[in-house]
Amino acid sequence: MRKSVLIAAFLLIALLTMIGCGTPKETAPAAPEEPKKPVVVRLEGGDWGYPNPFTHYSRGPGVNKMRLIFDSLLERDERGDIPWLAESWSILDGGRRYVFQLRKGVKWQDGKPFTARDVAFTLNYYRKHPPVSVPSGASFQPDYLLSINVLSEHQVELVVAEPNANFLQAIGRLSIIPEHIWKDVAEPAKFTDPQSVIGTGPFRLTDYSKEHGSYRYEANREFWGPKVLVDVLEFVPTSDPVLALEKGDIDLAGVPSDVLDRFRKDPSFVLMENPGFWGYRLRFNMQRVEEFKDRQLRRAFAYAINRQDLVDKIARGAGVVGSMGILPPQHRWYNPNLPQYEYDPKKAEELLKGLGPSVKRSYELLVGSGAEVRIGELLKEHLSQVGIELRVVSADTKSRDARIAEGKYEIVLVGHGGWGGDPDYLRTRFSSRVGDWFNGTPGYDNPELTLLLEKQIKETDENKRKELVFRIQHLLAEDVPEIPLYMTTGYTVFRREKYDGWMHVYDHHAPTHNKLSYLERKK
């Protein structure tokens, strides 16, 4: 009986096995994955020159179009400077020797390997042929940068004559160029072959039109760093960026506060508040107009100008009055305890009376175009109330900048970014040892201020240097060598569905001007 049960069980198992091994049911083939649509981002265009280190225009949009292609040893994020082509570095001998450890496996966009020789070549080449944009503190002079030594394939050493608190940041932001392309280029300002825009950066330039002010970049799929999230980046001509954003012609724009509600009510747009690191300043030519050397006259100008009125009427409230210590209120080393020079026309008149009748009361004010003309007209109105006449003369940006560089102005209005950078820019503007018309203030001389400006750049202890910078701001506020009118803030508005990776770095106002905005970020 036991044997019969075992046989029956065996037959049952066999039957079930046969049923399980029958013809399988047909399954539908998996649907093919749809190809991912490329991320194409369009931004406001305009000609800012051919984007290599020697042919772009000097202002921010030109610099940053170049930096999409060319990398530097360091980069910036929200908090400070971060490793980039250099993965680490050491500061030795009390700030007189810098050793950079470079990343391995980095390639130029033509496939050639990046090495320490490229870094050494770049610095030596820049000695002979300075690029358009040189960060303050990045001295190539042989009496300061004593030697540039290749220690190994991925290690380079720089030896300097004396400590400089800004040297690391400045040298770290220089765009590195490939030796194999540039070594035989004798006139870099004329070199605009396609090879001249080969870098190690996240984007390749695929089209440029000077006539239309348009650029087209494509992602560098061999980029050594974080994943590039934007496949195609285009800068296209627009007559009205706000209208172009609404119509979908571009995907991001700075939007004036009076039309902001049109975007705030639309969930497809995101509003991003900007820091106040772009601003306008009024500069006095103290060599051409001798009386501007008298700080009493400069203070009279400061009291006569209603800077809040400029914020309200020109920036439509999207701005903050500048600090007479020059560093703006959102700068990490801003000194809030300074003379403010609030609008006081009576005080201005008292100061002017003290100067006597020999001081002339009519001056030419050189401005650019657009908003600068409106600022000039409002300044003319303010100053007329205390008996000072301004003759507002407008020029295009390039012509105005050329006149500044040649010192051909009496008073000039300048608007630009970079106000959030290292405070050493105070030295390049106001030290009597700087005779550069474009950046400096020829004719202005405060020996105590110059001493402190030269001292702070050699102070490598951050707390001690900050104390010096606070004192420098106080002296500047007392002297008024120039008048910071206001910093623009406002909002950047972007179309959420197209791209939403925009970010601000710690010292700059424009999210489109840093390459990290286009790259994958670690969470």
Side-chain angles (χ1 to χ4, degrees), residues 431 433 446-456 472:
S431 172
R433 298 182 188 178
N446 181 325
E448 181 184 1
L449 178 65
T450 294
L451 183 65
L452 290 174
L453 288 167
E454 299 300 326
K455 186 177 181 180
Q456 61 81 29
I472 287 166

Side-chain angles (χ1 to χ4, degrees), residues 55-345:
T55 52
H56 67 83
Y57 301 155
S58 62
R59 288 176 171 267
V63 175
N64 291 288
K65 285 178 175 61
M66 179 269 296
R67 287 178 175 166
L68 293 171
I69 300 168
F70 293 90
D71 283 325
S72 49
L73 297 176
L74 309 182
E75 257 301 328
R76 294 170 288 173
D77 67 6
E78 303 94 330
R79 294 171 295 279
D81 295 296
I82 60 173
W84 207 243
L85 286 178
E87 62 181 6
S88 64
W89 54 87
S90 300
I91 304 175
L92 308 169
D93 297 344
R96 290 178 174 81
R97 190 159 63 95
Y98 295 77
V99 177
F100 293 92
Q101 184 65 46
L102 307 180
R103 294 186 187 277
K104 298 177 181 178
V106 177
K107 291 185 178 180
W108 296 101
Q109 291 170 358
D110 61 1
K112 302 286 187 182
F114 160 77
T115 72
R117 290 190 299 276
D118 293 305
V119 176
F121 168 81
T122 297
L123 299 181
N124 282 314
Y125 193 81
Y126 285 173
R127 277 179 166 169
K128 296 180 182 178
H129 311 285
V132 173
S133 177
V134 180
S136 172
S139 174
F140 311 123
Q141 299 306 314
D143 61 347
Y144 181 76
L145 184 51
L146 301 179
S147 64
I148 305 164
N149 306 311
V150 175
L151 302 182
S152 70
E153 196 79 348
H154 296 96
Q155 198 174 55
V156 65
E157 174 192 65
L158 309 180
V159 180
V160 298
E162 60 184 3
N164 182 318
N166 195 32
F167 181 75
L168 174 65
Q169 181 186 90
I171 212 77
R173 292 187 184 183
L174 287 170
S175 296
I176 306 301
I177 58 176
E179 179 183 17
H180 66 278
I181 289 176
W182 291 88
K183 63 182 179 180
D184 296 322
V185 177
E187 296 182 277
K190 297 180 180 180
F191 184 45
T192 55
D193 291 0
Q195 281 191 315
S196 74
V197 286
I198 287 178
T200 60
F203 287 96
R204 302 170 183 264
L205 182 72
T206 58
D207 188 61
Y208 163 66
S209 169
K210 181 179 180 64
E211 180 184 1
H212 297 108
S214 62
Y215 298 76
R216 187 178 191 275
Y217 296 83
E218 291 184 9
N220 174 17
R221 294 304 171 197
E222 304 301 318
F223 179 54
W224 60 267
K227 181 181 178 182
V228 187
L229 299 179
V230 174
D231 298 292
V232 177
L233 179 61
E234 295 180 339
F235 294 87
V236 298
T238 58
S239 56
D240 184 335
V242 174
L243 183 60
L245 177 62
E246 284 187 303
K247 291 170 59 180
D249 295 336
I250 60 175
D251 304 310
L252 175 150
V255 175
S257 56
D258 59 342
V259 297
L260 204 58
D261 281 345
R262 297 192 338 227
F263 296 93
R264 186 177 278 121
K265 296 174 182 177
D266 188 334
S268 63
F269 292 104
V270 177
L271 279 62
M272 186 178 187
E273 189 171 9
N274 301 324
F277 293 146
W278 200 102
Y280 292 100
R281 57 188 174 117
L282 205 61
R283 299 176 59 180
F284 301 101
N285 188 333
M286 299 184 199
Q287 281 195 353
R288 187 169 183 176
V289 184
E290 185 73 18
E291 62 213 63
F292 283 148
K293 291 183 178 180
D294 191 330
R295 73 178 184 180
Q296 191 165 319
L297 177 58
R298 303 194 299 266
R299 285 177 171 179
F301 269 79
Y303 281 117
I305 295 171
N306 188 340
R307 291 180 290 151
Q308 186 59 53
D309 193 39
L310 294 172
V311 171
D312 295 339
K313 292 180 178 177
I314 307 297
R316 299 184 177 94
V320 58
V321 168
S323 167
M324 286 300 180
I326 310 300
L327 298 187
Q330 286 183 290
H331 195 286
R332 61 193 180 106
W333 283 4
Y334 164 67
N335 183 352
N337 302 312
L338 303 175
Q340 299 299 314
Y341 296 87
E342 293 181 359
Y343 179 54
D344 190 340

